Amino acid sequence: MQHSFWRRILALVTVFFLAGSLWVTHSPSAYAYDNPELLPDTPTPVVDLAKSLTSLQEENLVKQLEQFEDQTGWKLRVLTQYDRTPGRAVINFWGLDDKSVLLVADSRGGNILSFSVGDAVYELLPRTFWIELQTRFGNLYFVREQGEDQAILQAMETVENCLVKGGCAVVPGLPREQWILTLITSIIGGIICGFAAQPRREGQLIAWQWALIFSPLWGILFLAFGLGPVVTRTSDWVPLIRNISGFLIGVLVAYLSPIFSRSSPSAES
């Protein structure tokens, strides 16, 4: 009897908890995810609910997107939100289709940018492009330094330029942080190549066999991660020359390291 009593109490508590959860889930605040009344009465390609743009920026962006749509047929739209969002109501409001790109800026997450892209757009701008575009302009460091407005404006400008060019496999431009990463990988690749090429027997100048054995490792670091991101994102020769120089310096330092280690004890004696 005592066990059945506690089971009934536990069952009642469980039912009460589930009922409370359902009530919270279906509370009026949930309707914030689909509020068509938040949308303006007049058609516009920009709905700035979060006030991320100044009035002048919004006006210029509206003209820019409308002109771009008239000239190319691509439909670019911008929605900024914070506490409330019109949700799926924007699909009917803007008539989003396969040739549409919707940028949503929401500062509540780690990355403020997200994109809804039509199938026809993916033929010119692949999914990796959108991931890179989001991480480049929507990350917290960029937003902190440049502001939400620049994150939105520069992202849309990049999309426009790539669509006009007929597509982009990667996001054009090489940020300083990304170039530093390519320089580091180039130097590391050179160090590995230099260590592998060190002579291992008398009379041998360069151990070509070992350098070739380790070529997949230093080749990936230098070519794929060192030079690849540079040549695909910019036509500037300066970062390319610096990465090549970093690789050669890494090779030279690693290759000559035995000479330095042999000379240091003699200098101390």
Side-chain angles (χ1 to χ4, degrees), residues 78-157:
V78 175
L79 169 66
T80 70
Q81 59 190 23
Y82 186 68
D83 289 331
R84 298 181 299 169
T85 170
R88 295 181 60 84
V90 297
I91 298 178
N92 295 328
F93 176 74
W94 277 320
L96 301 179
D97 52 24
D98 290 343
K99 299 191 67 176
S100 302
V101 174
L102 171 61
L103 181 152
V104 180
D106 193 330
S107 59
R108 290 174 294 181
N111 191 301
I112 72 165
L113 298 183
S114 61
F115 298 91
S116 178
V117 183
D119 292 338
V121 183
Y122 279 125
E123 298 178 2
L124 302 180
L125 307 174
R127 296 183 186 275
T128 53
F129 171 89
W130 299 102
I131 295 174
E132 184 180 353
L133 186 69
Q134 181 187 32
T135 54
R136 178 179 297 188
F137 295 114
N139 67 82
L140 295 178
Y141 299 102
F142 183 92
V143 174
R144 189 180 304 158
E145 294 180 0
Q146 305 289 334
E148 292 184 17
D149 55 344
Q150 290 303 313
I152 297 169
L153 297 176
Q154 292 189 36
M156 294 307 293
E157 183 180 0

Side-chain angles (χ1 to χ4, degrees), residues 19-42:
S21 300
L22 291 174
W23 180 81
V24 171
T25 304
H26 292 85
S27 60
S29 61
Y31 291 102
Y33 291 99
D34 193 7
N35 279 337
E37 63 271 15
L38 294 176
L39 297 171
D41 297 329
T42 57

